[in-house]
Amino acid sequence: MLDLAYTEPKPKVIAGAKGDWELVIGMEVHAQVASKAKLFSGASTEFGAEPNSNVSFVDAAMPGMLPVINEFCVEQAVRTGLGIKAAINLYSAFDRKNYFYPDLPQGYQISQLYHPIVGEGEILVDMEPGVARNVRVERIHLEQDAGKSVHDMDPNMSFVDLNRTGVALMEIVSMPDIRGPEEAAAYLTKMRQILRYLGTCDGNMQNGNMRADVNVSVCPAGQYEKYRETGDFSHLGTRCELKNMNSMRFIQAAIDYEARRQIAILEDGGTIDQETRLYDADKNETRSMRSKEEAQDYRYFPCPDLLPLVIEQSWVDEIKASLPELPDAKKARFVTEFGMTEYDASVLTADVRDAAYFEAVAQGRDGKQAANWVINELFGRLNKAELTIKDSPISADQLGGILDLISKDEISGKIGKDLFEIVWNEGGDPAKIVEERGMKQVTDTGAIETAVDQIIADNPAQVEKAKQNPKLAGWFVGQVMKATGGKANPKAVNEIVAKKLQD
């Protein structure tokens, strides 16, 4: 694989009243494991089920019910770790994180604090062609989700839905390597892309299947480099956590607001309290939720109901061998194999289904032409219709058929676009449509020459102008194409017009 060269983006700098400040951001991404069953029970993880219908005795914390680890969820976590080039820990263990919450029946969450399943990894976050930041991932650990409290169904009561209770989550913890709001959104986008390629999380943020806690702090310009040189966090500012963010747009707005709030406090001589804050999108502001807890506040201790998790290296190797081609590798291959730009390759590999569609269209055909049609014609039309690739009215075979007709000179590019429209609206075999509707382009040079002669004879004044200014030859080409209903071979028309005007 060819590694694409890149430079790091400049950090976001905010000018305060007394100096410049830089942003420092770390993220804790909670990604729901793509699994039909929960982490410690066989209950379904189906979204949208009737409240409290996907709840086992274990999820409800009935007395005497013991958790049993779901091996597939462990495999998905390992697969994710391998996908971000992380160390896989053959020994890991579960801990109890103790806190009271109405939708947490056990009174504790089973998580992994001291011995996570996945160690350090990295994610290359693309900002634009040739510009990217390598963000270090500190760890990935498995934990169970809590339920959901519902407060808007009755003015006097709250309700609890335990369907999500016990659903497997991967908490993916980054180092404070992200340097601006746009980078934070790009990091989460890249994370979701990788998880979807791996099939370990569907990344659906609307359903809560992927959400992020964003840690934001500010420091005077230049201090961050001292942190990177020494590893001493004292060079960085006190962080505040923005809880449960599930929108790229809101993440950027919340970070920007929070950074400016902290700068105003610091420049006024105050100090930042380490706390958890919520973002109010309607008011575009963050507000305090609670003081930020540390590990000791949760009274962690090893879960007595679960033995340490010990996995074999051979099993990890089997999972590694089954990994699909990941986005960075696919993008680099598209650039080299199809000769396209890095930007086009990024567009085509943004979603695993988009990439598969393109490869099916490009198979045995001109890669650049296939990329152009998929990006400009298909994606453009899908976006306009608010459809995804899986709902495309035109299959890869049908689009490939249109390209075959163009490459064989049976139709022109313009006719190809008309044909695309017909197939989009009506379906059918492109070749049959062209045959039945008489859409084949005219390649008979004799017929084209006759049309050119007629246009020249009818427009002597325009002929004289074109002889003085050859650029005006395009007018004759347009008239011939109009006279032939757009069916004349454009290349042949251009050649014949040029020859006739020189005579």
Side-chain angles (χ1 to χ4, degrees):
M1 182 196 84
L2 174 67
D3 289 324
L4 300 176
Y6 66 92
T7 57
E8 286 199 337
K10 293 181 179 179
K12 172 84 170 181
V13 176
I14 297 178
K18 298 181 180 179
D20 289 341
W21 298 81
E22 292 184 0
L23 274 68
V24 182
I25 302 164
M27 298 182 75
E28 300 166 13
V29 176
H30 300 266
Q32 179 176 323
V33 175
S35 169
K36 292 182 179 179
K38 296 182 180 180
L39 183 56
F40 299 118
S41 80
S44 172
T45 60
E46 179 190 5
F47 179 80
E50 286 294 313
N52 297 305
S53 60
N54 293 342
V55 186
S56 74
F57 289 142
V58 173
D59 306 323
M62 293 297 178
M65 295 296 104
L66 297 177
V68 178
I69 190 72
N70 181 337
E71 181 180 327
F72 182 70
C73 291
V74 177
E75 179 181 338
Q76 292 285 65
V78 171
R79 184 180 298 275
T80 301
L82 293 170
I84 62 168
K85 304 174 186 174
I88 306 300
N89 297 320
L90 301 183
Y91 175 96
S92 62
F94 289 95
D95 306 291
R96 286 187 180 180
K97 177 182 180 181
N98 294 273
Y99 64 99
F100 172 76
Y101 212 66
D103 52 22
L104 191 66
Q106 296 161 312
Y108 58 84
Q109 179 189 40
I110 300 178
S111 183
Q112 293 184 313
L113 174 67
Y114 301 109
H115 303 285
I117 182 75
V118 177
E120 294 181 0
E122 61 184 28
I123 295 177
L124 188 66
V125 180
D126 313 273
M127 300 304 298
E128 58 184 86
V131 179
R133 188 180 301 284
N134 196 52
V135 176
R136 296 168 296 163
V137 172
E138 179 186 340
R139 58 189 277 147
I140 301 177
H141 63 258
L142 279 168
E143 63 184 22
Q144 57 181 170
D145 203 355
K148 179 181 180 182
S149 295
V150 182
H151 306 293
D152 57 0
M153 291 181 62
D154 188 282
N156 302 311
M157 292 188 292
S158 291
F159 297 86
V160 175
D161 180 5
L162 298 181
N163 278 348
R164 287 193 70 91
T165 304
V167 166
L169 298 178
M170 295 177 287
E171 182 167 335
I172 307 166
V173 183
S174 84
M175 295 293 285
D177 292 349
I178 303 165
R179 306 305 311 285
E182 296 80 12
E183 283 187 34
Y187 171 81
L188 197 56
T189 298
K190 186 62 174 286
M191 176 71 73
R192 182 171 62 177
Q193 180 192 32
I194 292 172
L195 295 177
R196 285 175 167 173
Y197 266 72
L198 292 167
T200 56
C201 174
D202 66 15
N204 191 323
M205 299 177 77
Q206 290 74 28
N207 292 353
N209 294 358
M210 188 173 178
R211 53 195 190 269
D213 299 337
V214 186
N215 291 296
V216 181
S217 66
V218 296
C219 64
Q223 288 294 106
Y224 185 82
E225 293 309 315
K226 293 181 180 179
Y227 152 70
R228 288 306 299 263
E229 291 170 7
T230 64
D232 185 353
F233 285 93
S234 67
H235 293 295
L236 305 181
T238 301
R239 71 186 187 275
C240 290
E241 180 186 56
L242 306 178
K243 194 72 175 174
N244 282 337
M245 304 295 296
N246 66 347
S247 159
M248 303 299 184
R249 181 165 61 90
F250 290 161
I251 282 174
Q252 294 180 71
I255 290 172
D256 187 70
Y257 175 88
E258 178 60 22
R260 295 179 188 278
R261 183 191 73 86
Q262 292 183 22
I263 290 169
I265 292 173
L266 292 169
E267 291 197 332
D268 200 35
T271 58
I272 303 300
D273 295 325
Q274 184 171 330
E275 60 183 349
T276 298
R277 300 180 68 85
L278 292 176
Y279 175 66
D280 186 328
D282 293 329
K283 297 180 179 179
N284 187 32
E285 64 181 27
T286 64
R287 62 175 184 268
S288 181
M289 179 182 176
R290 60 175 183 262
S291 62
K292 175 64 177 173
E293 296 90 345
E294 299 293 345
Q296 64 268 19
D297 297 318
Y298 289 115
R299 304 188 319 281
Y300 277 96
F301 62 84
C303 182
D305 293 336
L306 290 161
L307 291 170
L309 183 60
V310 180
I311 59 179
E312 299 290 337
Q313 183 61 49
S314 58
W315 187 56
V316 175
D317 293 340
E318 287 178 12
I319 297 171
K320 186 174 184 179
S322 70
L323 292 182
E325 184 181 38
L326 292 170
D328 290 340
K330 192 178 289 290
K331 182 172 77 170
R333 179 171 63 82
F334 279 12
V335 169
T336 55
E337 186 174 318
F338 298 111
M340 66 178 67
T341 65
E342 186 179 339
Y343 173 80
D344 284 352
S346 295
V347 172
L348 291 168
T349 58
D351 183 89
V352 63
R353 291 169 299 187
D354 291 349
Y357 185 103
F358 162 72
E359 290 216 73
V361 173
Q363 184 69 36
R365 302 184 178 96
D366 181 270
K368 283 186 177 180
Q369 183 190 40
N372 181 58
W373 274 81
V374 170
I375 293 172
N376 296 321
E377 301 302 326
L378 181 70
F379 288 178
R381 190 61 190 269
L382 288 173
N383 289 337
K384 185 177 179 181
E386 298 183 348
L387 297 173
T388 63
I389 198 73
K390 69 182 180 66
D391 302 314
S392 173
I394 296 183
S395 69
D397 284 344
Q398 287 173 317
L399 183 53
I402 294 174
L403 300 189
D404 289 341
L405 292 168
I406 294 173
S407 65
K408 291 187 288 188
D409 279 339
E410 293 190 21
I411 61 174
S412 64
K414 182 181 181 303
I415 295 174
K417 292 182 179 181
D418 294 337
L419 178 58
F420 179 95
E421 192 69 21
I422 293 170
V423 177
W424 175 280
N425 291 313
E426 303 174 22
D429 179 357
K432 287 184 179 178
I433 293 171
V434 167
E435 193 67 43
E436 292 169 357
R437 303 194 185 189
M439 297 175 69
K440 282 189 177 181
Q441 73 175 350
V442 177
T443 55
D444 178 1
T445 55
I448 294 173
E449 190 168 355
T450 299
V452 172
D453 288 340
Q454 186 63 52
I455 299 297
I456 288 176
D458 292 344
N459 299 276
Q462 195 71 13
V463 171
E464 290 304 316
K465 290 180 182 179
K467 287 185 176 182
Q468 298 297 321
N469 183 3
K471 291 182 179 179
L472 296 179
W475 183 84
F476 290 92
V477 174
Q479 292 301 307
V480 174
M481 295 303 293
K482 184 178 179 180
T484 59
K487 294 181 182 180
N489 184 310
K491 183 180 178 182
V493 173
N494 274 282
E495 290 174 353
I496 293 171
V497 166
K499 181 176 180 297
K500 293 285 184 179
L501 291 177
Q502 289 172 0
D503 291 344

